[in-house]
Amino acid sequence: MKIEKDKTKKNIKIIEKAHEILKKNYIFYNCTIDMQTSFFYKLLEEDYKKVDVLLRAIRQDGKKILIIMNSIKKVICENNKGIYKKVNDEYIYNNSAEFEIGCYLEYLFIKYKVLFEYIQKILEICIPYKLKKEDKKEFEKIKDKKKKFEYLLEYIFKNISENKKELITYEWFKKVIKRRNIITHEGATCKVYRCCDNSNFLFKVGPINELEKKNNKKEEIEYDEFYSCEDKPDVQNYKNYWGLQISKLIIFIDNIFEFLLKDSKRNADVEKDIELLRIKEKDGYITTDGKKLPDIQTVLEEILENILQKYKN
């Protein structure tokens, strides 16, 4: 179908852009450093302190996402080599690789959602100073957390350049957040299925058993050719699904901060220090025999490269 092919082309462009950002430095690094070293109109000292903590938290949770992905890769490698049970039975008897990966995926959903909460808190500090008096009053009347976030994103959408608008909306990430919510609040679980190849697998977020499935309202899962199984839209390809979702998140955060930084200032001395901080320090370690070892972010870069290679033609 033409619509699905168009969606896939858009997805590939998003992944290409995210990969380009990652090749320059660690996830969420440059944009958060830029925010931390800039001065914003009307922000108070207490505002800077709050924003600083949130920016550090974004970098920290970005690192945690990478650790989760490395842990998943480690389990897959041990399972493929047939040593998973031998290595792990000493610590957790009768555990399975699929169950362990499922636990990591649940944590990945949770951390993904938390990053949007950090962004909302930053916007709630920075955007009101930009609003007109009547708009600020309208915003302050909003009590619902979700509606507040939508209002802030709509303001950015209206004022950001055309080529940055695509991901400045609540719609694209609310499905991922919904899955996190049913995991956290409704006892759903991540079920891991067979491997697609030596480094990939399929997974599904759903109720623990069929009885619960009958008692709960069925979640409508929209089929997406890019990551869904053709006959089971609620079953996803791990690399394609998370490669795309994390790419979207990287660009979303990058564009949000770029918008905020438009009205910021930075003195010349700080600018020089920033240039030093921007020097890429993520090339991994070299062993005595010249072998390059992967660093913490290699796993994500390899996933994106694998997707881009697959859809190259």
Side-chain angles (χ1 to χ4, degrees):
M1 285 176 63
K2 186 179 184 301
I3 294 174
E4 288 297 332
K5 284 183 179 178
D6 289 344
K7 278 173 68 178
T8 297
K9 282 181 181 178
K10 281 184 180 179
N11 291 341
I12 293 302
K13 283 183 180 178
I14 288 167
I15 290 169
E16 282 176 342
K17 188 172 180 181
H19 183 255
E20 189 180 314
I21 292 169
L22 291 176
K23 294 304 283 184
K24 292 175 183 175
N25 223 305
Y26 286 111
I27 189 169
F28 310 136
Y29 184 82
N30 280 356
C31 59
T32 54
I33 290 292
D34 283 343
M35 286 288 293
Q36 282 178 291
T37 53
S38 297
F39 297 96
F40 296 88
Y41 179 61
K42 288 186 178 179
L43 254 65
L44 306 174
E45 186 177 348
E46 62 188 57
D47 294 327
Y48 283 109
K49 287 178 180 177
K50 289 176 185 176
V51 171
D52 184 71
V53 169
L54 292 165
L55 293 168
R56 290 172 189 273
I58 288 171
R59 283 202 299 275
Q60 173 185 269
D61 280 4
K63 189 174 182 180
K64 287 178 181 178
I65 284 173
L66 297 177
I67 289 170
I68 295 165
M69 299 182 87
N70 276 286
S71 298
I72 289 171
K73 183 179 178 180
K74 177 177 176 288
V75 172
I76 292 172
C77 289
E78 288 175 351
N79 199 49
N80 288 340
K81 291 175 182 177
I83 62 170
Y84 178 81
K85 283 189 69 63
K86 184 180 177 181
V87 170
N88 291 278
D89 273 0
E90 184 181 342
Y91 308 100
I92 313 171
Y93 183 70
N94 208 26
N95 189 29
S96 72
E98 289 79 11
F99 188 77
E100 185 171 345
I101 290 171
C103 292
Y104 290 137
L105 287 175
E106 289 178 24
Y107 189 70
L108 194 52
F109 273 106
I110 290 165
K111 278 299 160 193
Y112 194 85
K113 163 68 163 55
V114 167
L115 283 160
F116 287 101
E117 292 175 7
Y118 296 153
I119 293 298
Q120 178 168 356
K121 286 176 182 177
I122 290 170
L123 294 183
E124 286 179 3
I125 294 168
C126 296
I127 295 293
Y129 291 112
K130 296 173 177 284
L131 298 175
K132 294 176 182 176
K133 193 174 181 180
E134 58 271 25
D135 293 332
K136 191 174 181 180
K137 282 183 181 178
E138 183 187 343
F139 174 71
E140 287 171 350
K141 287 178 184 176
I142 303 170
K143 302 301 177 187
D144 182 76
K145 194 175 178 181
K146 175 177 168 287
K147 288 181 179 176
K148 269 193 168 187
F149 199 13
E150 287 177 333
Y151 184 97
L152 294 166
L153 291 178
E154 188 179 345
Y155 171 82
I156 295 173
F157 184 86
K158 287 176 180 176
N159 293 280
I160 204 169
S161 58
E162 284 298 320
N163 63 331
K164 306 283 184 180
K165 285 181 186 284
E166 187 179 2
L167 296 176
I168 308 298
T169 167
Y170 189 83
E171 289 303 309
W172 70 265
F173 58 82
K174 72 178 182 181
K175 293 173 186 175
V176 186
I177 289 174
K178 185 178 180 181
R179 289 186 170 192
R180 172 267 181 194
N181 289 342
I182 66 169
I183 288 168
T184 307
H185 304 299
E186 298 178 26
T189 189
C190 281
K191 185 174 181 181
V192 173
Y193 296 89
R194 61 177 175 80
C195 289
C196 302
D197 56 44
N198 288 335
S199 62
N200 205 1
F201 57 87
L202 304 174
F203 75 94
K204 171 185 174 181
V205 175
I208 294 171
N209 57 46
E210 289 303 311
L211 181 63
E212 289 179 10
K213 189 174 181 180
K214 289 173 185 175
N215 291 337
N216 287 318
K217 290 180 181 178
K218 187 177 179 182
E219 182 191 358
E220 290 296 322
I221 305 291
E222 183 182 340
Y223 172 77
D224 192 306
E225 184 184 58
F226 192 71
Y227 52 71
S228 301
C229 285
E230 194 169 344
D231 55 338
K232 294 180 180 178
D234 56 345
V235 176
Q236 272 83 48
N237 176 300
Y238 164 69
K239 282 188 174 180
N240 281 30
Y241 182 84
W242 279 110
L244 177 61
Q245 302 306 335
I246 293 172
S247 292
K248 284 182 174 181
L249 181 59
I250 289 167
I251 295 168
F252 174 80
I253 291 177
D254 210 61
N255 287 348
I256 290 281
F257 288 166
E258 186 180 311
F259 173 79
L260 294 177
L261 286 163
K262 275 198 312 181
D263 298 328
S264 70
K265 290 184 179 179
R266 194 157 56 198
N267 66 47
D269 291 337
V270 172
E271 195 69 51
K272 289 176 184 176
D273 292 337
I274 291 301
E275 288 308 311
L276 291 174
L277 284 171
R278 287 187 190 283
I279 296 171
K280 185 179 171 185
E281 295 177 351
K282 51 179 286 298
D283 290 325
Y285 295 94
I286 307 296
T287 62
T288 52
D289 60 352
K291 183 182 177 184
K292 182 180 173 182
L293 299 176
D295 73 0
I296 191 173
Q297 191 166 278
T298 301
V299 62
L300 177 55
E301 291 182 24
E302 285 179 347
I303 285 174
L304 301 190
E305 286 161 9
N306 179 271
I307 294 169
L308 294 174
Q309 185 63 34
K310 187 164 64 173
Y311 288 92
K312 193 175 181 181
N313 299 319

